[in-house]
Amino acid sequence: MRFSLPAGRFGRLVGALIAVVVVLWPLGARAEAEDFPGQWRQTVSNAGTCESCWLAIKRHGSILKVSSNNGWFAFAHADLKTGSTTATGIGRWSEDVSGHYGGKPFDVRFVIVDKQLYLDMIVLMDDGTKQAIRAIFDKDRPGKTARRVMAKS
């Protein structure tokens, strides 16, 4: 006999698990807000492999200015008083980006866990739906290779 959950119930279960991860993610962080600035190289993404993708973060007080080499930029706020390793903000894909993300706004969250930068980007599409882009970055250091695998979403 084979057991399977109905699609609706399975979807709620997956949603609940994702919510638990989002809530507990900052609790596992072991870094300082000062660790955000620098150049980060993408190691994993649910939007496709890109060995040449990177982002650069510059800090201006509690504001982080983030720019990428693949056509998006963002501004995020890090709580420097608590030494938080989480920063949240907004951004936009460049109008020049080909494909369905060109010119689209998004909400973004950055979290540093074990010296890796986790990105969670929620892009607002023209039809009102939202697309989630998730990626993991390492500080750009020569000889570093990707060893993490990201769950498909």
Side-chain angles (χ1 to χ4, degrees):
M1 185 163 104
R2 189 168 186 195
F3 177 77
S4 65
L5 292 172
R9 191 170 181 188
F10 180 74
R12 286 191 301 272
L13 177 62
V14 169
L17 288 173
I18 290 171
V20 169
V21 168
V22 167
V23 169
L24 295 179
W25 197 346
L27 298 178
R30 292 180 178 87
E32 297 289 326
E34 292 81 32
D35 291 343
F36 281 109
Q39 187 161 315
W40 296 83
R41 184 178 43 82
Q42 181 179 302
T43 59
V44 179
S45 172
N46 70 339
T49 302
C50 180
E51 294 181 17
S52 63
C53 290
W54 56 265
L55 59 84
I57 301 177
K58 294 182 180 178
R59 196 178 97 195
H60 301 280
S62 63
I63 302 299
L64 302 176
K65 180 181 176 187
V66 184
S67 57
S68 75
N69 71 329
N70 62 339
W72 62 267
F73 66 92
F75 293 94
H77 179 267
D79 187 354
L80 299 180
K81 292 178 185 173
T82 63
S84 175
T85 59
T86 301
T88 57
I90 58 172
R92 180 172 292 276
W93 284 87
S94 170
E95 296 285 343
D96 300 335
V97 170
S98 62
H100 56 280
Y101 292 123
K104 302 291 186 287
F106 57 83
D107 292 322
V108 67
R109 181 176 183 202
F110 301 97
V111 179
I112 296 176
V113 178
D114 295 331
K115 298 185 180 185
Q116 288 190 304
L117 180 73
Y118 289 72
L119 170 139
D120 189 16
M121 178 188 291
I122 306 298
V123 183
L124 181 60
M125 304 307 286
D126 290 336
D127 64 0
T129 62
K130 296 178 181 180
Q131 293 286 324
I133 298 175
R134 293 181 177 89
I136 302 172
F137 295 81
D138 276 336
K139 276 276 176 121
D140 200 12
R141 294 184 295 260
K144 188 87 172 156
T145 59
R147 290 199 173 99
R148 299 239 173 159
V149 176
M150 176 174 276
K152 291 183 180 180
S153 54

